[in-house]
Amino acid sequence: MKKRTVVASAGALALLVVAVALGVRPGNDPIAATQPAPSAASEPAVARLGNQEVASAELKALLASLPVESREQLSTDRATLESWIRSRLAEKAVLEQADAQGWRQRPEIEQQTRAATEQIVFRNYLQSVSQVPADYPSAAELQQAYDAGKSEWVTPTMYRVSQIYLAVADPQNLEAVRKQAQDLSRKAQAAPAEFAGLASQYSQDRVSAERGGDTGLQPLQQWLPEVRGVLSRLKVGAVSDPVQSQAGFHVIKLTELQPARVATLDELRDRLTQALRAQRQEQIAKAYLEGMLNTATLSIDGAELNKILEEKR
């Protein structure tokens, strides 16, 4: 079983938790998290808790703020979405209580709000004055960056693997499951072409079982340590003896092997372009800030600075 089999839903939930913590809303403005909920008459609500609601637009904005892959995953993960809705309603209920007790008017809250607002204005304005030209990078600049970093573009050896996975839910059933795995391994070794049928019928990793056991192309590190050693010694088309892990037993078949290689410029073009543009924008922003310091005489009162530092000791 691959390491990432159960990570996807946990990762999706983590994305939602981070979105809640950062107050992701239309405009991606953290201050919006403290604003009153929209009126029920203005748009339909997905859920309500007392006076609070999660409006359709709010949920749509959250989904729109996530990467495409995560958004597609969450669109089919109702449990995670409902967990976020419950968390958001609880957050709004807490904010309602805080408002009723005047927390929004507390000096420390007002100070933090002003500081957050300043940072939002600063980041957005700095971004607006450090725009990267649309034609950057050029084809020559892309090629130069690719050539300079060629040693970093190596893709690892990729293994296309099919598996039959048998879980051991009860330790008392260990030997029975081991025997079943041995029987399936012998059948598959005797007739490798029948592996897909056996995986579809017996494998308990249902995602890969629906594809005849195929888990796709993956680097060796994606597999459990117990499987890696066996997999690295298999020849293409060969079927392994049962491999025991903490989760159960794996009968694996290596169906394709792609040697390590240097990724082509075409494969890296989009990622390299984004990295170069981000680097150039950072350079432009840094130059802009340095220019601001050069527009007037800068003076620092060393005595006053020392006084403040002494008070903090």
Side-chain angles (χ1 to χ4, degrees), residues 99-143:
D99 283 341
Q101 297 176 32
W103 274 66
R104 201 183 297 270
Q105 287 73 45
R106 288 193 171 199
E108 66 272 24
I109 300 298
E110 291 181 341
Q111 181 180 0
Q112 291 174 37
T113 301
R114 284 193 300 271
T117 301
E118 286 179 357
Q119 284 301 307
I120 292 167
V121 174
F122 169 77
R123 287 195 302 269
N124 281 272
Y125 182 76
L126 188 60
Q127 185 177 30
S128 74
V129 297
S130 59
Q131 291 296 307
V132 178
D135 60 353
Y136 180 83
S138 65
E141 288 166 324
L142 264 177
Q143 185 67 54

Side-chain angles (χ1 to χ4, degrees), residues 36-238:
S39 170
S42 62
E43 59 186 29
V46 177
R48 288 190 176 89
L49 176 67
N51 297 327
Q52 302 303 325
E53 68 176 37
V54 173
S56 298
E58 185 176 0
L59 182 56
K60 290 176 183 177
L62 169 73
L63 293 173
S65 71
L66 298 175
V68 174
E69 182 179 347
S70 300
R71 182 163 62 248
E72 291 176 351
Q73 179 182 352
L74 289 172
S75 296
T76 59
D77 192 343
R78 190 181 184 92
T80 300
L81 282 173
E82 290 184 358
S83 177
W84 176 81
I85 289 171
R86 289 192 293 271
S87 296
R88 179 60 182 141
L89 286 171
E91 180 188 87
K92 289 189 174 189
V94 171
L95 287 171
E96 183 180 29
Q97 288 182 359
D99 283 341
Q101 297 176 32
W103 274 66
R104 201 183 297 270
Q105 287 73 45
R106 288 193 171 199
E108 66 272 24
I109 300 298
E110 291 181 341
Q111 181 180 0
Q112 291 174 37
T113 301
R114 284 193 300 271
T117 301
E118 286 179 357
Q119 284 301 307
I120 292 167
V121 174
F122 169 77
R123 287 195 302 269
N124 281 272
Y125 182 76
L126 188 60
Q127 185 177 30
S128 74
V129 297
S130 59
Q131 291 296 307
V132 178
D135 60 353
Y136 180 83
S138 65
E141 288 166 324
L142 264 177
Q143 185 67 54
Q144 183 180 11
Y146 173 77
D147 292 340
K150 229 170 187 179
S151 61
E152 302 176 16
W153 313 139
V154 177
T155 61
T157 302
M158 301 294 282
Y159 298 77
R160 182 177 291 278
V161 178
S162 294
Q163 76 162 342
I164 302 172
Y165 168 66
L166 303 177
V168 180
D170 186 345
Q172 294 184 350
N173 296 332
L174 176 65
E175 292 308 317
V177 177
R178 186 195 306 276
K179 184 178 183 305
Q180 184 184 15
Q182 290 170 339
D183 290 343
L184 289 170
S185 175
R186 281 193 290 268
K187 288 181 181 178
Q189 289 173 347
E194 303 299 322
F195 191 96
L198 292 171
S200 297
Q201 183 176 356
Y202 294 105
S203 180
Q204 293 173 9
D205 177 9
R206 297 316 306 167
V207 175
S208 62
E210 292 175 358
R211 300 191 296 264
D214 180 37
T215 64
L217 276 168
Q218 301 289 342
L220 193 63
Q221 294 302 313
Q222 287 289 340
W223 286 85
L224 296 171
E226 298 90 344
V227 177
R228 290 176 204 159
V230 175
L231 183 56
S232 63
R233 295 191 298 270
L234 276 182
K235 294 182 179 180
V236 175

